[in-house]
Amino acid sequence: MHCPYCRHPDSRVVDSRLADEGAAIRRRRSCPECGRRFTTVETAILSVVKRSGVTEPFSREKVIRGVRRACQGREVDDDALNLLAQQVEDAVRAKGSPEVPSHEVGLAILGPLRELDEVAYLRFASVYRSFTSAEDFEREIRDMRQARAAVGPGD
């Protein structure tokens, strides 16, 4: 790590702490050349591989934008969307790969969105799974009802 003050090519770690709920490491460093201290933050990069083959960094904001469109006109607050985006990122990171196909990000959105708002879930699923007819909606609604019945009332 280069010193940001004198550009010396080395530095010594003085202290390390977890940051951002364990998603990052904050390090206090000291330059052996000029003696000044500075802070660095290290995070693991998660990349999404799109269908076209292009790779881009994972973005919670992009997840929120897509889900917000599905939630348009529904009573879903920003805190719920932020939590959903966090759940999606956690699920995708849990796969253990630094690169994940965009399809898996979409799959990771479906579960939490179904719990959050069923209408928004149907909207998102209809686009994500390319519904082409009313039968596709009927099948999805039937599956949702069966899943709800399997869990039981009040669970």
Side-chain angles (χ1 to χ4, degrees), residues 34-139:
C34 69
R36 295 178 82 177
R37 290 186 173 204
F38 56 97
T39 301
T40 59
V41 178
E42 299 174 19
T43 58
I45 296 174
L46 178 61
S47 297
V48 177
V49 181
K50 300 176 88 171
R51 276 182 258 166
S52 65
V54 173
T55 301
E56 66 181 39
F58 176 85
S59 168
R60 284 188 202 174
E61 290 74 32
K62 194 167 181 178
V63 170
I64 291 170
R65 272 195 314 271
V67 173
R68 184 173 276 133
R69 262 179 271 155
C71 293
Q72 202 164 18
R74 307 292 299 160
E75 292 193 22
V76 177
D77 64 6
D78 287 343
D79 289 340
L81 292 178
N82 287 325
L83 179 60
L84 183 140
Q86 178 66 51
Q87 291 172 323
V88 169
E89 183 174 0
D90 291 346
V92 170
R93 283 192 186 276
K95 301 230 182 252
S97 175
E99 289 187 347
V100 63
S102 60
H103 177 74
E104 288 189 25
V105 175
L107 290 176
I109 290 171
L110 289 174
L113 183 55
R114 189 176 189 173
E115 295 295 317
L116 179 65
D117 187 279
E118 290 180 338
V119 172
Y121 166 80
L122 283 171
R123 289 175 177 170
F124 188 88
S126 71
V127 173
Y128 183 71
R129 293 185 176 153
S130 304
F131 286 8
T132 57
S133 66
E135 287 81 25
D136 293 332
F137 281 96
E138 290 170 351
R139 187 178 325 104

